Amino acid sequence: MIGPAVPRPRHRRGPCAKAAALALTCAVTACGGPAAAPEPAPAAPPPGLTVALRQMRIDELKHVLSVAVGNSGPAPVHIERVQLHAPPLATLPPEPVNTRIGTTPRVDLRIPYGAVHCAGRTPPAPGPAHVLAWIREPAGTRRIRLPLPHPDPLVTRLVGLECGAQAVRAAADVRLGAMWTRRGDALAGEVVMRRRTPGTTVTLHDVGGSVIFGLSPAGAREKPLAVLGPDREELTVPVRFTAPNCSAHSMADAKKPYAFPFWASLPGLERRYLEFEVTAELRGSLDRLLRETCKNR
């Protein structure tokens, strides 16, 4: 007579068995494989290849600069990507440029640059800077290092302007007011300066318009437009919007019709370009001003 089946005991794996199983799993999945080989150090540039940093005026508002590459060497160089290392600017990923550079004193490769981490009102001192470039050669792509002068004058200026803008915004809230009144072919309102940091003088030098809309002080006013001294918590500056440019060409080229700049500074710092925030309500009022003004012309 066959008795009832007896279940086989389940064996518990000890730590050694578990470790062996994990090792086998990692061997199959490559989770414990050798680490990837580090990228080789950048090589020296080809003879005659040099770089410098430049910035066109149209790029000042776009956080873009130009890597000006010169080539006095005997052979052309094909650059696939470039990357700027210029502390305290944040390092961004390599920028594709895919440009063949023959014998020439200068070819501008436009790339974005990173933000600056500013602490306090004193801009940090720039560190040594260089450009990495990936160049295409018959044997493959090679990474090279192109040093920049130290301290680089453009990096020093960008750090100063960026930290100056942050310092201005930390010291005072400079904004377009909430109330706007139509007066003929203009929209009248005010710029409001409200203190954020006690004891700091903030100077509003000027305001400006866009391709489509004009923004200017109301009436005759000397510059700087306003100075928020340590004894004031808030002040206002009367301003007016107009729509002086109704041409189809201007409207087609207006990529930032609501970008309205102002220039402000703190004592001892270069005046800085900043932009007002524009509410949806103000945009609607400006659009009506544009339609009605241009319809009457």
Side-chain angles (χ1 to χ4, degrees):
M1 183 173 178
I2 300 176
V6 178
R8 299 180 62 184
R10 299 176 62 185
H11 296 285
R12 300 180 63 185
R13 292 188 296 177
C16 293
K18 291 181 180 180
L22 178 61
L24 177 62
T25 302
C26 287
V28 173
T29 62
C31 68
E39 189 173 8
L49 197 68
T50 59
V51 294
L53 299 183
R54 303 285 186 267
Q55 189 176 49
M56 296 183 289
R57 184 173 295 276
I58 61 172
D59 286 335
E60 291 181 358
L61 314 182
K62 303 174 183 177
H63 239 245
V64 168
L65 54 75
S66 296
V67 177
V69 183
N71 185 12
S72 61
V77 177
H78 191 117
I79 300 181
E80 295 181 342
R81 294 171 289 160
V82 293
Q83 184 181 44
L84 175 64
H85 291 254
L89 299 179
T91 301
L92 301 181
E95 182 73 10
V97 291
N98 196 29
T99 301
R100 183 180 183 275
I101 300 177
T103 302
T104 178
R106 176 176 170 181
V107 172
D108 286 347
L109 306 177
R110 297 172 65 248
I111 64 171
Y113 61 89
V116 185
H117 176 70
C118 307
R121 283 186 51 191
T122 303
H130 65 273
V131 171
L132 293 181
W134 283 256
I135 60 175
R136 184 186 304 169
E137 296 179 332
T141 299
R142 183 164 65 105
R143 187 176 62 142
I144 62 172
R145 184 180 186 275
L146 296 153
L148 292 164
H150 178 66
D152 185 89
L154 179 57
V155 173
T156 301
R157 180 172 182 271
L158 293 177
V159 170
L161 292 175
E162 189 84 10
C163 292
Q166 292 186 27
V168 169
R169 293 199 182 278
D173 179 22
V174 183
R175 64 175 54 245
L176 297 170
M179 301 297 296
W180 295 89
T181 305
R182 182 69 177 271
R183 294 176 182 169
D185 287 342
L187 201 60
E190 59 189 16
V191 170
V192 181
M193 299 179 67
R194 185 174 295 114
R195 176 172 304 286
R196 282 176 169 161
T197 303
T200 303
T201 297
V202 183
T203 301
L204 177 64
H205 294 272
D206 203 358
V207 297
S210 65
V211 174
I212 298 295
F213 300 103
L215 175 61
S216 60
R221 199 176 186 97
E222 296 182 354
K223 297 175 184 176
L225 301 181
V227 177
L228 184 66
D231 57 335
R232 299 282 300 272
E233 291 300 313
E234 181 178 313
L235 59 78
T236 59
V237 178
V239 294
R240 61 198 297 266
F241 280 107
T242 55
N245 203 340
C246 295
S247 69
H249 177 74
S250 297
M251 292 184 186
D253 287 346
K255 298 183 175 54
K256 296 180 69 176
Y258 308 106
F260 302 114
F262 67 92
W263 290 264
S265 68
L266 303 180
L269 295 178
E270 181 182 353
R271 74 177 193 170
R272 183 62 174 115
Y273 172 102
L274 300 102
E275 289 186 1
F276 290 113
E277 295 182 9
V278 181
T279 64
E281 183 179 1
L282 179 54
R283 289 189 182 200
S285 298
L286 289 170
D287 288 342
R288 286 191 295 274
L289 175 68
L290 179 66
R291 288 195 304 269
E292 295 171 6
T293 301
C294 294
K295 180 179 64 175
N296 297 331
R297 292 180 183 174

